[in-house]
Amino acid sequence: MFKKILIANRGEIALRIIRTCREMGIKTVAVYSVADKESLHVRFADEAVCIGAASSADSYLNIPRIIAAAEITNADAIHPGYGFLSENAEFSAICEEYGIKFIGASADAINAMGDKATAKDYMKKAGVPVVPGSQGLLSSLDEGIKVAEEIGYPVIIKATAGGGGRGMRIINNKETFKKAWDDARRESKAAFGNDAMYLEKFVVEPRHVEIQVFGDGKGGACHLSERDCTIQRRHQKLVEETPSPVLTTELRDEMGQAALAATAFINYEGAGTIEFLVDKFGKFYFMEMNTRIQVEHPITEEVTGFDLVKEQIKTAAGIPISGRNYYPKKYAMECRINAEDPAKDFRPSPGKITQLHVPGGHGVRVDTHVYAGYVIPPFYDSMIAKLIVTGQSREEVIVRMKRALDEFVIEGVKTTIPFHRKLMDDEQFNKGIFTTKFLETFDFSDLPKSI
Ligand code: MV4
């Protein structure tokens, strides 16, 4: 087992990883930017190294400095968390070169899944259902129009270098094809330095359901069932739950088997997530694979009993999770608490937390790095806490979530708490019937005042 792990991240996920390391008897090294000097991950780690200025590029994305920090502290592994360098193939490869175990995917897996057309091609070969569309990349505008005529509008064009909603355009007819094509390519070129596109039939009003997988790197894999992440705004997830209100036992098994085939086919090692679109007929299609631990992993932990970070570390050390699959016996839901003003288009609201009361009690877990007096820096993402609630039924979880949200006091900055409180009272949400378009028609203007 590793003796010392460097955590190349910040915020709640850095703390989350430190906690598991503590329980496993593994020493930890925090790295931090100048802006994070007063952060809890710095205080809770056994050692801490300042790696640069506030901007991510100078600190949490600075590969040479992170490797240097690992070398001087003699860390034998690096956990990248999510975001930052977690899906950076070059970083994974450099860790390998320096004899530091990267607790994440191999450079090959990151490259294969990071190029979305390549990922789709692998999935097709693995027998995983994919959305009908172009065979690989489109070579020209004319080919795009031709494929669209064949499969029928609406279609969606996607940047192969994109993902998470970036570099995509929905096209409803031939007349608007050229403009969408030009816009999407220009946008992708600017964002990724790559404007290669592929095309798919547009699946109307789907749900986003993802399967948690673990691979042993030798073709062995197991899954830990699904998370439903349909409640999103501009591709930012706000609420996740498991089990999904729309999966039957049969569909869960089918999607689980597809996810396993995907994981095994690429000899994937470690924790991964296979994202699917589920349409209103209960048909599912591969969307993307995430080669990292995800923000929403705690809901899977709560319903399966696994510590997923512990399983990641064990897998990286050559002790893979047992071969069987796990099905939820309970219900869990996560609300992302962001320092953003939901009444003002979710505008970031950094600053000092003047008062803080964190909810607790039966079935309530809060993963956070904030404390009263903490100053949220403006340089990083605005998620400041994850409120995770567990119960015996979806109804019980929603009641408990409302109770926990009512208890939560964060003063000094605006947060997404009022939005979550309104959502928990929404009729459609309570019925479990909604699609990825749900928040497009949600009224964010009259949010409940805290009690
Ligand atoms: C789609 C789609 C409909 N049809 N692909 C959004 C993020 C990226 N992973 C792919 N996305 C989508 N791909 C086809 N063929 C709809 C979306 C989509 C979406 C997916 C999941 C959650 C929210 C979404 C919001 C808008 C569009």
Side-chain angles (χ1 to χ4, degrees):
M1 187 42 69
F2 308 116
K3 290 191 169 59
K4 197 188 271 188
I5 296 177
L6 180 143
I7 297 114
N9 214 304
R10 63 180 300 282
E12 71 83 22
I13 193 63
L15 271 184
R16 166 75 194 80
I17 297 161
I18 290 168
R19 285 177 169 141
T20 287
C21 289
R22 261 286 148 90
E23 292 180 14
M24 295 177 77
I26 299 169
K27 294 271 188 252
T28 53
V29 181
V31 293
Y32 64 100
S33 73
V34 169
D36 280 338
K37 198 165 164 287
E38 306 299 330
S39 282
L40 287 189
H41 78 283
V42 174
R43 286 204 238 167
F44 286 1
D46 295 298
E47 292 170 77
V49 182
C50 183
I51 51 167
S55 91
S56 299
D58 290 335
S59 51
Y60 302 106
L61 292 174
N62 190 316
I63 295 175
R65 292 197 187 154
I66 293 168
I67 297 288
E71 296 228 287
I72 57 171
T73 55
N74 214 13
D76 40 22
I78 294 182
H79 197 307
Y82 51 70
F84 295 122
L85 297 170
S86 60
E87 292 175 285
N88 185 305
E90 190 193 345
F91 185 54
S92 176
I94 289 171
C95 289
E96 187 105 324
E97 262 171 57
Y98 278 76
I100 303 163
K101 180 67 187 178
F102 180 72
I103 305 174
S106 67
D108 285 348
I110 294 172
N111 279 327
M113 296 301 113
D115 185 273
K116 305 304 167 189
T118 303
K120 190 176 174 184
D121 200 48
Y122 273 107
M123 294 307 147
K124 230 168 160 174
K125 292 199 171 99
V128 178
V130 298
V131 186
S134 60
Q135 216 180 45
L137 298 173
L138 292 169
S139 56
S140 66
L141 167 65
D142 287 344
E143 191 196 350
I145 294 171
K146 190 170 144 264
V147 179
E149 294 294 327
E150 282 165 18
I151 64 169
Y153 289 96
V155 298
I156 183 167
I157 53 172
K158 296 180 175 182
T160 192
R166 295 171 310 163
M168 318 185 320
R169 286 292 184 285
I170 299 158
I171 309 176
N172 288 305
N173 51 58
K174 190 179 171 181
E175 287 64 49
T176 54
F177 202 112
K178 184 176 180 339
K179 181 172 163 35
W181 170 260
D182 290 340
D183 288 354
R185 290 188 67 198
R186 196 177 324 104
E187 189 181 296
S188 327
K189 187 79 188 172
F192 321 112
N194 173 347
D195 58 7
M197 310 291 295
Y198 64 105
L199 181 148
E200 292 180 340
K201 177 87 185 163
F202 181 64
V203 180
V204 181
E205 304 194 14
R207 294 190 62 126
H208 171 132
V209 181
E210 59 189 31
I211 306 276
Q212 176 71 57
V213 295
F214 268 88
D216 66 6
K218 299 169 197 145
C222 71
H223 75 75
L224 284 76
S225 294
E226 80 279 10
R227 294 183 288 262
D228 191 313
C229 310
T230 302
I231 301 289
Q232 311 193 357
R233 185 187 162 276
R234 302 200 184 148
H235 305 294
Q236 292 296 316
K237 294 169 187 167
L238 281 161
V239 176
E240 306 94 351
E241 60 178 302
T242 185
S244 167
V246 296
L247 290 208
T248 58
T249 308
E250 293 72 39
L251 189 52
R252 175 172 300 108
D253 247 334
E254 254 188 87
M255 291 176 69
Q257 290 310 314
L260 287 184
T263 312
F265 188 76
I266 61 170
N267 290 321
Y268 189 77
E269 181 185 298
T273 298
I274 318 283
E275 294 183 349
F276 293 102
L277 291 170
V278 180
D279 73 13
K280 60 180 168 224
F281 308 109
K283 291 193 104 179
F284 65 92
Y285 309 93
F286 170 78
M287 190 164 44
E288 289 176 17
M289 179 174 188
N290 299 317
T291 55
R292 59 165 192 276
I293 192 81
Q294 290 193 271
V295 172
E296 59 272 23
H297 78 276
I299 60 172
T300 299
E301 298 188 319
E302 295 306 314
V303 301
T304 64
F306 277 103
D307 174 336
L308 295 193
V309 173
K310 183 175 184 178
E311 295 308 323
Q312 274 192 300
I313 294 170
K314 283 169 62 182
T315 304
I319 314 158
I321 193 168
S322 85
R324 71 184 207 85
N325 304 321
Y326 292 84
Y327 297 93
K329 294 184 187 72
K330 293 188 281 187
Y331 280 74
M333 185 179 288
E334 171 180 278
C335 288
R336 296 194 189 190
I337 313 299
N338 301 339
E340 295 169 346
D341 186 348
K344 297 215 168 89
D345 220 22
F346 289 75
R347 174 208 295 174
S349 178
K352 185 172 186 161
I353 295 178
T354 53
Q355 299 274 4
L356 181 71
H357 180 266
V358 173
H362 184 59
V364 177
R365 163 178 173 184
V366 179
D367 280 16
T368 184
H369 60 294
V370 306
Y371 52 85
Y374 176 71
V375 179
I376 302 159
F379 310 105
Y380 315 109
D381 84 343
S382 54
M383 196 182 69
I384 53 169
K386 305 191 296 204
L387 172 55
I388 303 126
V389 162
T390 309
Q392 299 299 323
S393 67
R394 189 168 189 271
E395 293 70 27
E396 186 180 73
V397 164
I398 291 174
V399 167
R400 186 164 290 153
M401 186 66 85
K402 284 198 237 187
R403 184 273 287 175
L405 287 163
D406 288 350
E407 272 180 42
F408 219 142
V409 178
I410 302 176
E411 282 176 17
V413 299
K414 298 282 189 200
T415 76
T416 48
I417 290 172
F419 158 72
H420 289 300
R421 292 179 66 224
K422 182 169 176 180
L423 180 69
M424 293 303 137
D425 279 328
D426 184 277
E427 193 183 322
Q428 287 306 113
F429 181 76
N430 274 270
K431 285 183 182 156
I433 307 164
F434 45 85
T435 73
T436 54
K437 284 175 99 82
F438 180 75
L439 292 185
E440 287 178 21
T441 54
F442 194 86
D443 179 11
F444 295 101
S445 71
D446 92 82
L447 298 174
K449 300 266 175 287
S450 56
I451 48 169

